[in-house]
Amino acid sequence: MERRDLLKAQVEQLGKVLAKILADFLKLPKGDSRGVELTNQRFQNELDIDIEKLKALTKEETEDYLRSLNLTADHLEILSEYIKEIGLTKIEEDKVAAKVWLKKAIDILDFADKISKTVSFIRINKKAVIDSILQQQA
């Protein structure tokens, strides 16, 4: 019982850190690549999530990597939102990189669907929004 309480507390702490990182990132001026670098460093230092490594992984490798981090579907949604925001900041300067980031955000949401074993209309909507952005860039 104590172990479950400890794990629950750790998961809640992880969620708070993810939310704080995302909030800090979203307050940065658009196009501030330094902000992306600083936020990526915080993900690495505080949560041991390598955002640049995540970008380079295939969909299956991404799922394996995220599974190893023991993230919940809620955490994955926050991470996906951050990845989407990176993609949006890259659209003007590098459309190819932006597409990679946006597709990665969808991959993360797909994995959130898989681990939650539920249908989330919120995630469906988030994927649709990202898909429409990708279609506009095509």
Side-chain angles (χ1 to χ4, degrees), residues 7-129:
L7 287 173
K8 183 178 178 184
Q10 288 176 332
V11 167
E12 287 174 2
Q13 180 67 23
L14 178 65
K16 289 176 185 176
V17 172
L18 277 169
K20 173 79 172 119
I21 290 171
L22 181 61
D24 289 348
F25 174 73
L26 293 176
K27 291 177 189 168
L28 293 171
K30 293 289 182 192
D32 186 355
S33 62
R34 190 176 54 85
V36 172
E37 292 169 12
L38 291 173
T39 305
N40 287 353
Q41 285 177 352
R42 284 189 65 190
F43 269 104
Q44 181 69 48
N45 295 338
E46 295 180 30
L47 300 173
D48 201 27
I49 298 174
D50 189 340
I51 299 296
E52 288 298 323
K53 174 183 177 180
L54 191 61
K55 175 183 159 189
L57 300 175
T58 66
K59 186 171 183 167
E60 294 77 24
E61 291 169 336
T62 298
E63 289 181 7
D64 290 342
Y65 180 67
L66 294 173
R67 190 174 284 114
S68 74
L69 297 171
N70 296 318
L71 300 175
T72 67
D74 291 336
H75 297 149
L76 292 171
E77 285 185 47
I78 295 169
L79 182 59
S80 174
E81 183 68 25
Y82 172 67
I83 299 291
K84 180 188 93 174
E85 290 297 325
I86 292 175
L88 293 176
T89 62
K90 302 274 185 195
I91 283 179
E92 297 300 320
E93 64 188 57
D94 187 353
K95 289 187 187 298
V96 173
K99 286 181 181 181
V100 170
W101 285 114
L102 293 170
K103 288 178 182 178
K104 185 60 65 179
I106 291 173
D107 289 348
I108 293 169
L109 289 171
D110 287 341
F111 183 60
D113 287 339
K114 188 182 285 187
I115 67 166
S116 71
K117 298 178 183 155
T118 60
V119 174
S120 166
F121 292 113
I122 294 171
R123 285 193 294 267
I124 290 170
N125 185 49
K126 287 180 180 185
K127 287 189 268 188
V129 167

